[in-house]
Amino acid sequence: MSLLKRLSITIFSRIDNAVAEIENHDALIKATLEEQAGKLMRAKGQLIQLRRKKEDLGNSLIKLKTDESSWQKRALIEANTDQERALKCLQRKKQVQQEMNQTEKNYHEYQLMEGKLERDIQKSEHELIQIKRKRELLSARQSSSDASTHLSRTKPTNNSELQEILSRWESNLDLKESLIAQQDEFSVKSCHSLSSYSHEDQFEREFIDKENELELKTELVALIAKEVNQKEKQDE
């Protein structure tokens, strides 16, 4: 076997190994794209759940606002016959207001999470499309390169040129793989705060109860006065 023939066999052997390596990279990118598509689908499912929870909170807010108005009306009605029951109605109204404030806070948090998740999904979809297009382009270039290599097997091949081609291909794949590696973790966390109260002795508790009762009585008097003023204006 001549030296030229042995050199030709060695060069083509290197080409075959390089093509196999490229094919492995292509398979890796394909598998990673499929994995990313699955994650994207799960993220869309999480977005649907987020929207449902936000909708439930919105419905809860509507009900709480109705309850607040109902307890205020009950307080006005009971004030004519039973002041103690009227004060209890106002206490219920205050509890509803506290729950409504917390629900509004949770609702706004879900709004923020929904917006962020929507933007992340759109960004991921755009990146997947770009990577798929690049992969298709590289695959087409590979097919063209394979055909050219097959036609030029009888021609001398420059090893440095081959290394340059592989280096460009590898650089492109490195860039695409780095894009694929960028992943955001989607986690929907429900934020519910619990109120904690410090321990109070009985003596201090008595003062606090009296102060709260006085505050409720003051509010009741203000409501009654407002109601009387409205009736007087209507009678006029």
Side-chain angles (χ1 to χ4, degrees):
M1 181 182 296
S2 66
L3 177 61
L4 180 59
K5 190 172 184 180
R6 287 199 303 270
L7 179 60
S8 177
I9 292 174
T10 302
I11 290 174
F12 289 131
S13 176
R14 291 177 181 174
I15 291 176
D16 291 338
N17 291 336
V19 170
E21 184 180 355
I22 290 171
E23 289 173 348
N24 290 336
H25 284 160
D26 182 66
L28 176 61
I29 291 178
K30 180 181 178 182
T32 306
L33 283 173
E34 291 174 351
E35 181 182 358
Q36 290 299 100
K39 290 181 178 180
L40 188 59
M41 185 176 298
R42 289 192 292 273
K44 290 181 178 179
Q46 289 178 339
L47 180 60
I48 292 174
Q49 293 179 359
L50 244 180
R51 286 171 175 167
R52 287 175 180 171
K53 290 180 180 179
K54 190 190 75 171
E55 184 178 354
D56 291 340
L57 286 173
N59 293 333
S60 297
L61 276 175
I62 294 174
K63 183 179 181 304
L64 287 170
K65 289 178 180 178
T66 302
D67 291 344
E68 179 190 22
S69 177
S70 297
W71 283 115
Q72 179 169 315
K73 291 177 182 177
R74 291 165 184 165
L76 288 171
I77 294 172
E78 292 295 329
N80 296 325
T81 56
D82 191 335
Q83 188 182 51
E84 184 178 353
R85 286 174 62 84
L87 293 176
K88 288 182 178 180
C89 290
L90 288 181
Q91 184 65 45
R92 289 292 185 89
K93 174 191 171 186
K94 182 173 291 187
Q95 292 174 357
V96 170
Q97 287 174 333
Q98 291 174 352
E99 185 177 355
M100 189 164 56
N101 290 337
Q102 182 59 47
T103 303
E104 285 179 343
K105 180 181 178 182
N106 293 339
Y107 182 84
H108 291 313
E109 288 175 350
Y110 272 98
Q111 275 186 320
L112 293 175
M113 289 188 288
E114 179 188 19
K116 182 180 183 304
L117 192 53
E118 284 178 339
R119 292 190 296 271
D120 290 341
I121 288 174
Q122 291 176 355
K123 180 181 177 182
S124 297
E125 286 180 332
H126 178 72
E127 289 178 350
L128 280 178
I129 291 173
Q130 296 300 318
I131 294 171
K132 286 178 180 178
R133 288 176 179 173
K134 285 293 184 180
R135 175 175 170 264
E136 291 171 357
L137 176 60
L138 290 174
S139 296
R141 288 175 58 188
Q142 178 182 332
S143 299
S144 176
S145 177
D146 290 345
S148 299
T149 301
H150 178 73
L151 293 175
S152 62
R153 277 183 178 270
T154 57
K155 299 179 181 179
T157 304
N158 189 316
N159 190 48
S160 63
E161 292 179 358
L162 173 61
Q163 294 299 328
E164 184 179 352
I165 293 172
L166 291 177
S167 178
R168 289 200 303 269
W169 173 265
E170 184 178 11
S171 296
N172 287 332
L173 291 184
D174 286 341
L175 177 59
K176 304 307 165 278
E177 288 171 351
S178 67
L179 289 174
I180 294 173
Q182 296 176 2
Q183 303 176 6
D184 290 331
E185 296 182 357
F186 304 110
S187 61
V188 179
K189 300 180 180 179
S190 300
C191 301
H192 300 286
S193 59
L194 299 174
S195 301
S196 59
Y197 299 93
S198 58
H199 178 71
E200 302 167 334
D201 57 35
Q202 185 62 31
F203 184 69
E204 183 181 6
R205 182 71 258 171
E206 292 175 0
F207 282 102
I208 292 175
D209 290 341
K210 288 182 179 179
E211 290 165 358
N212 289 339
E213 184 178 357
L214 179 61
E215 181 183 348
L216 291 174
K217 286 181 178 179
T218 302
E219 183 178 353
L220 180 61
V221 170
L223 283 174
I224 293 173
K226 182 178 180 181
E227 186 74 9
V228 170
N229 290 334
Q230 290 179 349
K231 288 184 178 180
E232 290 178 350
K233 290 181 179 179
Q234 291 176 356
D235 293 338
E236 291 176 358

